[in-house]
Amino acid sequence: MALSERMRGTVESIMPKIATQVAQRSSSNPPIDFGTAENWLIRSELVDFFKDAISKRLVKQDLSYQRGFVGDPNVIAALADAFNRHFAPKVPVDSTHIAVAPGGGAILESLLFNICDAGDEMLVLTPFWSGFHFQFQVGPKVTIIPVTSPMENVFNERVVDDLEAALAKANKKVRGVVVCNPHNPLGQCYTRKALEAIAVFCEKHNLQLISDEIYALSIYESADLADPVPFISMLSLDLAQIKVNPARAHVIWSVSKDFGCSGFRLGALVSQGSPAMVCGVAMAANTQVSGLTALAVTALLSDPAKMDGFIALNRSRLAIAYETMAKVFRTRAIRYIPANAGIFIWARLSDKVETWEQEADLTKILEGKQVAVSAGKGYAAAAPGWYRLSFAMEPENLRKGLERLEKGIDEFEKGQD
């Protein structure tokens, strides 16, 4: 059946990009997946917790439509408590500041619908998560303007110089800025001064500011960063003191990464100065979160001892997994960005990759070794050869995957001699 004019171009542009992923995930012998940002490190413990919680808490009402316009009141209250305990908000988060949707991606998409009209643009600091292409284009029809900074500027207040330059070159349809903090894929956090400078930039130019903080609790000790910048939420900024309207600042978080629950599909918006934005996002996502998900997540977030225990366990295992991957890279003299946040490393797998075609060749060789990777071109990387590699997997899979990765790199480099 013929597609609508609205969707035909989108489908034609997206399908080639996702065809390989669809084939890999439906295969009876799937590759070891370094490309998908999923956290497997505490799943055994989480499964036991959720089984117990659901068996004890599930009641008839949970099979009905959820109560509450912005989401189930119980999960909203539990989320507010979690934000107040772990995000150090300057203004305490309450239930009126929150809306939920099926995943952080759905929150982002809903925000874009509410902030932008079709054809509008958003400034996005690069490199950025490759999934943004999908989230921006498929529904909202919003264009990404990539903003590239030298590495020495990315996490400090000088990043605003690059935002100013990008805005000056753009047309009059720019509506806002999207920041990932902790950064995906660079695995570090923005300084407080950088966040304040970005917020002031948005106030100056009447832009909305979206802070994607879905890795906020996935901070770990790293031998590569003796004194790392700590995670600072946009919620913790004193926006009144720097004369920024809180109505333009919006934070996204979900259980997908920090708690390894990407299949549960629950994301949250916190917008403290704009009841209209909370209402608009709720309208776009109303009734879409499963009642069973709401029940399970409420059980987790409303038990501070259990929640904090899972966070600590996740952080300790992230540190071990990171070091396992980083040690291989150091041994092979593979360049990478030192990280202490998130579940991946941004690495230049071979200095013999000099073109985007060679990057595609290396990716194909790795695919033949049964390793799935995310190549830098999809992340708006400034140069070819960079990859985002997720390490938050079970130790044996991580070991096997790294062995296959090394064999693939060796094969590629021999072919370049």
Side-chain angles (χ1 to χ4, degrees):
M1 182 175 290
L3 292 171
S4 67
E5 288 292 331
R6 179 179 56 196
M7 284 303 294
R8 185 179 300 115
T10 299
V11 170
E12 289 174 353
S13 66
I14 292 293
M15 280 302 294
K17 298 175 184 177
I18 66 172
T20 299
Q21 292 180 350
V22 171
Q24 289 172 345
R25 293 181 184 183
S26 60
S27 170
S28 59
N29 182 30
I32 291 178
D33 190 359
F34 287 127
T36 302
E38 283 201 316
N39 185 349
W40 287 77
L41 295 178
I42 56 173
R43 286 198 175 183
S44 295
E45 292 83 358
L46 284 166
V47 165
D48 291 340
F49 173 84
F50 287 131
K51 281 182 177 178
D52 182 64
I54 292 170
S55 69
K56 290 178 178 177
R57 290 173 174 250
L58 186 66
V59 296
K60 294 177 183 178
Q61 179 62 38
D62 294 314
L63 305 185
S64 295
Y65 292 117
Q66 291 185 54
R67 298 171 295 124
F69 177 70
V70 297
D72 179 84
N74 292 328
V75 78
I76 294 289
L79 281 162
D81 181 64
F83 284 118
N84 287 324
R85 289 198 308 113
H86 290 283
F87 287 65
K90 180 66 178 177
V91 176
V93 175
D94 67 42
S95 296
T96 64
H97 302 152
I98 298 173
V100 298
I107 291 288
L108 175 61
E109 186 173 313
S110 298
L111 276 170
L112 292 172
F113 264 110
N114 281 276
I115 292 170
C116 304
D117 292 314
D120 284 349
E121 300 168 334
M122 296 288 283
L123 301 175
V124 185
L125 295 165
T126 69
F128 54 73
W129 175 50
S130 59
F132 276 173
H133 297 289
F134 185 89
Q135 298 290 344
F136 280 64
Q137 294 172 12
V138 172
K141 300 291 188 291
V142 173
T143 299
I144 293 172
I145 298 181
V147 181
T148 302
S149 295
M151 190 60 203
E152 61 269 21
N153 288 6
V154 170
F155 295 112
N156 61 53
E157 60 269 30
R158 292 193 300 275
V159 74
V160 169
D161 295 338
D162 303 302
L163 288 169
E164 290 280 8
L167 183 64
K169 294 178 182 177
N171 60 35
K172 302 300 182 182
K173 290 188 175 183
V174 175
R175 296 291 178 258
V177 176
V178 178
V179 175
C180 290
N181 185 39
H183 196 285
N184 176 5
L186 298 182
Q188 295 183 26
C189 299
Y190 285 88
T191 64
R192 181 178 294 275
K193 286 185 177 180
L195 295 174
E196 289 176 344
I198 294 168
V200 170
F201 166 82
C202 289
E203 181 70 30
K204 174 184 175 182
H205 295 288
N206 192 28
L207 302 175
Q208 297 291 302
L209 175 55
I210 299 174
S211 182
D212 180 344
E213 301 183 4
I214 64 170
Y215 295 97
L217 307 181
S218 296
I219 310 296
Y220 53 88
E221 290 188 8
S222 169
D224 287 329
L225 292 169
D227 187 25
V229 174
F231 167 69
I232 298 168
S233 173
M234 192 69 66
L235 296 172
S236 74
L237 301 188
D238 189 342
L239 295 180
Q241 193 274 329
I242 58 175
K243 299 181 180 180
V244 172
N245 184 350
R248 71 177 70 258
H250 317 287
V251 169
I252 299 172
W253 183 74
S254 82
V255 297
S256 295
K257 313 301 182 182
D258 290 335
F259 293 104
C261 296
S262 48
F264 268 20
R265 310 312 304 139
L266 189 141
L269 163 75
V270 182
S271 188
Q272 294 189 298
S274 180
M277 189 67 71
V278 174
C279 179
V281 169
M283 289 176 66
N286 191 26
T287 76
Q288 293 180 3
V289 175
S290 161
L292 196 58
T293 292
L295 183 153
V297 172
T298 299
L300 174 63
L301 301 186
S302 60
D303 187 334
K306 283 288 186 181
M307 180 181 176
D308 293 354
F310 282 129
I311 292 171
L313 182 61
N314 184 50
R315 287 175 171 171
S316 67
R317 291 180 180 173
L318 283 172
I320 294 169
Y322 170 83
E323 180 58 24
T324 299
M325 180 175 281
K327 185 176 180 180
V328 170
F329 292 167
R330 289 195 295 267
T331 300
R332 292 186 61 98
I334 289 174
R335 286 188 286 160
Y336 65 96
I337 302 301
N340 74 305
I343 60 177
F344 33 71
I345 296 177
W346 184 245
R348 182 166 167 75
L349 292 185
S350 174
D351 283 333
K352 293 190 176 182
V353 174
E354 297 178 348
T355 67
W356 298 113
E357 290 76 16
Q358 288 176 314
E359 180 179 279
D361 291 341
L362 174 55
T363 303
K364 190 170 184 179
I365 288 173
L366 293 172
E367 181 184 336
K369 300 295 183 185
Q370 285 293 90
V371 178
V373 294
S374 290
K377 188 174 183 179
Y379 291 75
W386 290 89
Y387 289 78
R388 191 195 72 174
L389 296 119
S390 298
F391 54 76
M393 59 182 67
E394 292 157 328
E396 182 61 17
N397 276 346
L398 180 57
R399 183 188 65 79
K400 288 181 181 178
L402 289 169
E403 288 177 356
R404 296 177 187 181
L405 188 76
E406 289 189 88
K407 291 178 181 177
I409 295 170
D410 287 341
E411 181 176 319
F412 168 79
E413 293 188 340
K414 286 178 183 177
Q416 304 305 308
D417 293 336

